[in-house]
Amino acid sequence: MIDHAFLSNGYGSALISKDLGIDWLALPRFDSQPLFCYLLDKNKGCRVSIKFEGNSKFIRKYVNGSLLLNTNVVKNGRTISNITDFMPLAESALMRVISSNEPFEIYVKPGFNYCMIEPAIYIKKDGAIFKDPNSKQALEFKFVWSSKVIKNRGYTWRFFPGKGYFLFLYSADVGYGIFSKKSKVYSIPSEAMPAAVNYWKSLLEHVSIKPPDWATNVFNASILVLLGLKYKPSGALVSSPTTSIPEIIGGVRNWDYRYAWVRDSSLAAEALIKIGHIINGREILNFLINVLDPSMKPFNHTLFTIDGSPPPSEYTADWLSGYEDSKPVRIGNAAHLQIQLDIEGEFMNALSTYYNFTKDKVFLKNVWWAVKSIANYTIKNYIKKDSGIWEERDVAKHYTHSKVNMWKSLVTAAELAKELNNLSEYSEWMLKADQIKDYTLKNAWNEKTGSFVRYFGSEEVDASLLVMPIYGLIKVDDDRFIQTLAKIEKELVRDYLVFRYKKDFLGNAAYPFGLASYWMAKVKIMQGEREEAEKYIRKLVSCANKLGLLGEHIDPTNCEPRGNYPHVFSHVAVLLGIYELVS
């Protein structure tokens, strides 16, 4: 089971296992080829591990509301070692600070090109350089230790009781690494650690709502996950730090989520703005605005790389066995080839949220060109088929969720036009929005099933139909929606967790979908059933691990995370759900 700690510095990320294995380290960017990718193939041994003599227990927690991980190593009821892992701010590095009363071994084996390429090793007196034989890049390992160190054979070192730290630094060119003349510029723990703690703690001080006691840990973790997945130089938000962690162990639902999805980013921006992180939310919106094309489909890709460039083609890393032997391991995501018509609507909803919370007319006027392009595109294209929110491959249909979002984008554009006193655009766009509403309600209704359906002509419901009243297309007490809700609750809800649908082009959906918990809770609140709504958010919160982290999907039998981890959607669901409960 994946139950790792997530580390970030806003540039790259790491995942640390319960027994202190560094199983994933992506530097210098979230979407870089990982230097340690043990998650995707245990046999290749690309990781850092630590081994104490005898049986040990590991007790871990984040440090003082931060993304610094502290672990006590306990043997026979006493703490024998204390370890803090963190990523220094603005450096392509991970630092491990250790004090230990007993000897231990450290194993360090990176790899290049997803562990396809073995490194050339240059042993140093106080560490090693692991160099890519095909380039100048390297992972450098340096230790500062107070007592005896023995270099063992292969990739291991033996440390005697003492204290000190390990630094793992990615260098694009070893000429300016930690063993070069430039070594003095790199961090030491006494400076880097308090700076990192203060940075992450400060992010929790900007929150404008107080969560209930039962949600505080996961609520705070959700904030740090979202902000930890935001690439500082551009404001892009990756959906997850990982690729190909499977939805179903041994299955093929393995996707690469290390990109900035328009949909995921918009929902995250909305959540951050609502809880008080207005500037961070606006930075995400700015990234999306900067990749928006006013001459064609506004978001002509469904996802972007973190620097705003078009995403790479998808390929499979056939040399990797996959997480728990789940193949294929995918690099890149072919969803970028799809047309998804809902994403402009989610963006417009986030933009409207920003404006409603700030009344920032200067910002609105500066991005009006983007609003107009979305409105004009929607008017011309709402009758087209698309791949929809669930991104089914090679299956284009008239998805109801997409139509709802296209209506939402146009209504929102009209409302913002009115704010700027652009009354002619307001009138024109509201008239067209009414046409889209009538078109959607007529075609998404199925008389045979007595419900709205997943796509026009279908007989199935899906969880995304819950956004119909949330976005305002239909009233929550409309008989047609009440009948639809009853069908969703009967077919897709299990123990207050919500499946996205029954099946798709790959077969049955095995696990509930984190974001749908928020949708259901929001609908219940709109119906005046606050206690029932709380049960959905409580259940979602209860399924987070002890560090407060969630995957995209949840195994309802044991709360284990499924799919890429941690994932923006589930943590957005926590933040928006708590916001609705306490507002």
Side-chain angles (χ1 to χ4, degrees), residues 108-121:
V108 181
K109 184 187 177 184
F112 298 95
N113 192 18
Y114 297 89
C115 293
M116 176 190 279
I117 299 172
E118 296 266 340
I121 308 174

Side-chain angles (χ1 to χ4, degrees), residues 101-206:
N101 298 323
E102 293 197 7
F104 60 90
E105 277 190 357
I106 285 285
Y107 167 90
V108 181
K109 184 187 177 184
F112 298 95
N113 192 18
Y114 297 89
C115 293
M116 176 190 279
I117 299 172
E118 296 266 340
I121 308 174
Y122 302 88
I123 300 297
K124 300 290 184 179
K125 178 183 177 181
D126 52 354
I129 297 174
F130 300 91
K131 187 176 179 297
D132 181 353
N134 296 323
S135 72
K136 293 183 178 181
Q137 70 174 335
L139 178 78
E140 298 180 277
F141 165 54
K142 181 179 180 179
F143 56 81
V144 174
W145 196 247
S146 64
S147 65
K148 187 177 179 181
V149 181
I150 297 175
K151 175 67 182 76
N152 288 356
R153 300 174 68 180
Y155 297 95
T156 62
W157 287 258
R158 182 171 177 81
F159 290 79
F160 286 76
K163 61 182 178 179
Y165 70 92
F166 305 152
L167 179 64
F168 304 92
L169 177 78
Y170 169 82
S171 297
D173 188 323
V174 292
Y176 53 80
I178 50 179
F179 296 105
S180 73
K181 294 180 180 179
K182 196 181 178 182
S183 61
K184 292 182 180 180
V185 307
Y186 296 110
S187 295
I188 58 175
S190 61
E191 298 171 354
M193 191 153 58
V197 170
N198 290 335
Y199 171 76
W200 292 112
K201 281 182 65 178
S202 72
L203 297 178
L204 298 180
E205 294 170 359
H206 295 292

Side-chain angles (χ1 to χ4, degrees), residues 7 71 81 92 94-95 105 161 167 216 234-235 251 268 325 362 378 385 402 416 455 504 506 559-560 581:
L7 304 185
T71 304
S81 183
S92 294
L94 185 148
M95 191 172 285
E105 277 190 357
L167 179 64
T216 300
S234 68
D325 295 320
V362 173
T378 300
K385 296 179 180 180
S402 295
L416 294 175
Y455 56 84
D504 62 11
L506 289 175
C559 273
E560 289 182 2
L581 287 175

Side-chain angles (χ1 to χ4, degrees), residues 507-546:
N508 292 332
Y511 301 113
F513 182 67
L515 180 61
S517 293
Y518 159 67
W519 288 338
M520 183 64 81
K522 173 65 174 176
V523 166
K524 293 297 181 183
I525 287 172
M526 293 174 72
Q527 291 181 324
E529 299 181 23
R530 187 168 294 271
E531 290 185 5
E532 192 71 5
E534 183 176 311
K535 291 177 182 178
Y536 282 93
I537 302 304
R538 274 185 177 267
K539 180 64 178 182
L540 179 64
V541 165
S542 73
C543 281
N545 69 3
K546 290 183 179 179

Side-chain angles (χ1 to χ4, degrees), residues 10-48:
Y11 289 82
S13 62
L15 291 178
I16 313 294
S17 70
K18 292 180 74 172
D19 61 357
L20 291 167
I22 304 175
D23 290 351
W24 183 268
L25 180 64
L27 292 170
R29 301 179 5 157
F30 294 114
D31 56 356
S32 296
Q33 298 173 358
L35 297 159
F36 302 119
C37 61
Y38 188 77
L39 278 178
L40 299 179
D41 193 325
K42 292 182 178 179
N43 296 323
K44 295 190 181 300
C46 287
R47 76 185 307 214
V48 174

Side-chain angles (χ1 to χ4, degrees), residues 351-377:
L351 180 63
S352 176
T353 300
Y354 171 79
Y355 179 78
N356 290 335
F357 272 73
T358 65
K359 298 302 178 184
D360 187 349
K361 286 192 177 181
V362 173
F363 181 79
L364 184 56
K365 289 176 180 177
N366 285 339
V367 303
W368 193 246
W369 60 272
V371 174
K372 288 188 68 171
S373 70
I374 289 174
N376 292 332
Y377 180 84

